[in-house]
Amino acid sequence: MNFESVVANVPDYKAFLTVDEMDDSCRKLANEFPDIVSVFEAGKSRKGHSILCMKIGNGLKNALCFACPHPNEPIGAMTLEYFSRALAENDDLREELGFTWYMIKCIDPDGVRLNENWFNGPFNVYTYTRNYYRPIGYEQVEWTFPIDYKELHFHNPLPETQALMTLIKEIRPEFMYSLHNAGFGGAYWYLTHDLPELYEGLRDSAIKQGIPLNLGEPEEPFITKFSSAIFKNMTIAEAYDFIEKFSGNKPNIKNGTSSSDYASGVTDCVTLLTELPYFFDPRIEDLSEGEITRKDAILQNVKQSQAHFDLLDQILAEVRPYISDENPFVKLVEEVIQYVKEGSEAKIKWADSNPEFEKMASRAEIFDNLQVAKFYNGLYLGLTVRTCEYEIERLKREKNSDQIALGPFMETCKKGKQLLKGYCGNLESELDYLAIPIQKLVRIQLESGLIVANYIRKNR
């Protein structure tokens, strides 16, 4: 099957869709193609927003695609925006692929609304960091699927997660596409199955768009690498075992497992994730030898993170007694502060335990450990500022609130904003990055999905 024309026709999107725009677009497509597309409510969000699912076509196999699994990851919504219309308009494409498609553009509408201030740009490090939102692990749709593993027992899936669980059990998909994306770096992929015949095509989908591969460190040290920039989908059990092994303690994990892990327990399902950044720096694919060992790069990463989150801990200490329980921004910051405190020793032991880490690191590994890590650490400074802003607005709005707290929040917010501007300014000077056009990101994510779907059509 030739996908070139389908991929080439992706529009030159200039902004990401808001939740309301996604919903309107789904309903419009169903009205235009009533014999091909239907829309139904798969569930409701925690705040009561309808989670809309499109059903397209009537192929023999079922495919489930859902976007915004983390609310700061809207690339997948644009991929489904384009692909759903392409399927509706193109009978040949729909019939050749042979699937009935179930598509949810926004699985976490409440969280996505808290990111919409950066959806129109300007697309730079500061705007993204300043307006970034991501929930704590036990409030993430992707990581709240039920699990019983050793001493970890999680049976409190979110309403949004329950909507996916119901769909997975009802349609038993042969293909599932959890449409994630990263923030900074290069392209990489996760698969539940080791399918070597697909790897060159997946990597080429990014290379053709001029986007580098992420050849630095994997997201987590316990992740299995299938091939360059291609990894096995991670599970919460693997995270548990890693922490237990290298810390010697029972892991303090409060969330569940992933959608791919859950689906694999329901049906023989191939799950794909295509991780794409908003920003990239060419150093992320530089495999030439650097000046320090990989062990040294990891240890510097740990030291850098410890210092950063110690600072955030000190900032929050000034206002922590006054933060309300409903504040959505602070929870993940607190979780990561604790994770860095408890997990740093495990990471150091891991780096000490592997003789391979005594070899000189590639420049990509050094860049990933130091500069890319600094980008991601900065996002928690942005969340800290938003924590204070939320409380300031709440205190001004509520007449019976503790007005004594307003002063500390105002002062901490002012300090946080100054730190954030300086932090992002330093990053801007250290990085040689470009913001990737949305069109290119959608093309890569779309072609990757088509490659895997076509393989399943022919082989499973």
Side-chain angles (χ1 to χ4, degrees):
M1 186 181 298
N2 188 341
F3 303 131
E4 287 185 9
S5 62
V6 180
V7 174
N9 287 332
V10 173
D12 186 13
Y13 298 114
K14 299 300 184 186
F16 293 102
L17 294 178
T18 64
V19 173
D20 289 341
E21 288 168 341
M22 295 179 209
D23 289 350
D24 290 346
S25 181
C26 289
R27 295 188 179 101
K28 179 181 178 183
L29 191 68
N31 288 334
E32 281 187 61
F33 300 92
D35 297 331
I36 299 168
V37 182
S38 60
V39 175
F40 63 93
E41 184 181 270
K44 287 187 181 294
S45 73
R46 280 153 284 176
K47 291 189 175 181
H49 189 91
S50 291
I51 298 170
L52 301 184
C53 182
M54 295 178 287
K55 180 182 178 183
I56 304 176
N58 57 356
L60 296 177
K61 297 180 186 294
N62 288 331
L64 173 60
C65 308
F66 59 94
C68 305
H70 292 116
N72 59 301
E73 299 177 355
I75 295 171
M78 307 308 295
T79 299
L80 296 186
E81 169 73 10
Y82 171 73
F83 187 42
S84 59
R85 177 164 288 277
L87 285 169
E89 293 177 344
N90 190 332
D91 295 343
D92 291 339
L93 173 65
R94 203 169 58 249
E95 291 168 11
E96 280 193 73
L97 284 169
F99 284 88
T100 300
W101 296 88
Y102 294 83
M103 296 184 175
I104 298 174
K105 288 182 186 174
C106 187
I107 193 61
D108 185 3
D110 301 341
V112 169
R113 289 190 189 280
L114 297 178
N115 278 281
E116 289 180 349
N117 281 345
W118 63 265
F119 281 11
N120 282 302
F123 297 111
N124 56 46
V125 168
Y126 177 75
T127 302
Y128 180 66
T129 304
R130 180 69 179 83
N131 298 286
Y132 168 91
Y133 168 70
R134 187 179 177 101
I136 193 170
Y138 58 79
E139 293 181 358
Q140 293 179 10
V141 179
E142 180 61 270
W143 287 102
T144 48
F145 287 82
I147 182 74
D148 287 294
Y149 184 74
K150 295 184 178 179
E151 298 300 313
L152 172 60
H153 305 285
F154 184 90
H155 295 279
N156 191 28
L158 304 175
E160 298 89 339
T161 308
Q162 292 176 36
L164 286 176
M165 290 168 61
T166 299
L167 265 177
I168 290 167
K169 286 186 284 189
E170 287 181 355
I171 70 173
R172 301 178 70 85
E174 285 88 349
F175 175 43
M176 190 165 78
Y177 203 173
S178 181
L179 288 149
H180 287 258
N181 63 258
F184 195 103
Y188 57 107
W189 295 261
Y190 289 107
L191 276 164
T192 44
H193 297 63
D194 189 5
L195 304 172
E197 57 267 54
L198 304 186
Y199 298 158
E200 185 177 354
L202 292 175
R203 287 189 287 258
D204 282 349
S205 70
I207 293 168
K208 283 186 291 188
Q209 300 301 324
I211 305 306
L213 305 177
N214 192 332
L215 301 178
E217 298 284 357
E219 286 187 65
E220 298 289 349
F222 54 79
I223 292 173
T224 300
K225 183 178 179 179
F226 284 150
S227 184
S228 294
I230 297 172
F231 305 92
K232 183 180 183 298
N233 274 18
M234 70 180 94
T235 69
I236 204 66
E238 291 169 321
Y240 187 107
D241 288 343
F242 175 82
I243 296 169
E244 184 179 52
K245 178 180 178 180
F246 289 102
S247 72
N249 300 315
K250 185 182 81 171
N252 183 28
I253 296 174
K254 297 179 181 178
N255 54 275
T257 195
S258 64
S259 58
S260 61
D261 194 24
Y262 176 80
S264 295
V266 174
T267 185
D268 184 18
C269 177
V270 176
T271 299
L272 169 69
L273 282 71
T274 302
E275 297 274 13
L276 299 168
Y278 304 115
F279 314 105
F280 81 88
D281 184 306
R283 285 175 286 183
I284 199 61
E285 60 176 354
D286 186 350
L287 294 180
S288 63
E289 188 175 283
E291 300 82 14
I292 60 175
T293 65
R294 188 176 173 197
K295 176 181 173 180
D296 287 339
I298 293 168
L299 295 180
Q300 287 185 38
N301 169 285
V302 171
K303 186 176 180 180
Q304 177 177 282
S305 293
Q306 286 175 321
H308 181 79
F309 286 98
D310 281 348
L311 175 62
L312 296 191
D313 195 15
Q314 293 168 28
I315 293 171
L316 284 172
E318 301 170 12
V319 294
R320 216 174 245 125
Y322 309 110
I323 297 175
S324 56
D325 291 340
E326 64 269 22
N327 192 312
F329 302 104
V330 73
K331 295 177 183 179
L332 184 60
V333 184
E334 296 283 28
E335 182 181 59
V336 177
I337 288 171
Q338 199 61 34
Y339 177 79
V340 171
K341 284 180 179 178
E342 296 175 355
S344 292
E345 191 62 35
K347 196 168 184 179
I348 291 169
K349 289 180 180 178
W350 167 70
D352 284 335
S353 69
N354 194 332
E356 287 292 310
F357 293 172
E358 298 292 348
K359 296 179 180 177
M360 300 304 288
S362 70
R363 295 185 186 277
E365 289 168 338
I366 296 169
F367 179 71
D368 204 354
N369 271 294
L370 303 183
Q371 273 72 38
V372 175
K374 192 179 289 187
F375 167 82
Y376 283 108
N377 286 348
L379 300 178
Y380 299 97
L381 177 53
L383 283 173
T384 300
V385 171
R386 296 191 75 181
T387 294
C388 295
E389 289 180 327
Y390 177 92
E391 297 299 339
I392 291 168
E393 291 177 12
R394 179 184 66 82
L395 291 168
K396 288 180 176 178
R397 185 174 63 249
E398 297 176 3
K399 294 180 180 179
N400 297 325
S401 61
D402 182 5
Q403 294 298 311
I404 296 174
L406 188 58
F409 277 119
M410 296 283 282
E411 184 62 32
T412 301
C413 190
K414 180 181 178 182
K415 184 192 301 181
K417 286 180 179 178
Q418 290 173 340
L419 283 170
L420 184 63
K421 284 189 176 180
Y423 191 95
C424 290
N426 288 335
L427 265 179
E428 295 275 357
S429 65
E430 292 177 14
L431 300 171
D432 181 22
Y433 77 91
L434 294 173
I436 304 170
I438 298 172
Q439 180 187 57
K440 289 179 178 288
L441 299 170
V442 171
R443 283 174 173 170
I444 298 165
Q445 208 166 57
L446 173 63
E447 184 170 359
S448 297
L450 289 171
I451 287 169
V452 176
N454 191 44
Y455 172 84
I456 294 170
R457 176 186 68 88
K458 294 190 296 184
N459 296 282
R460 296 177 71 85

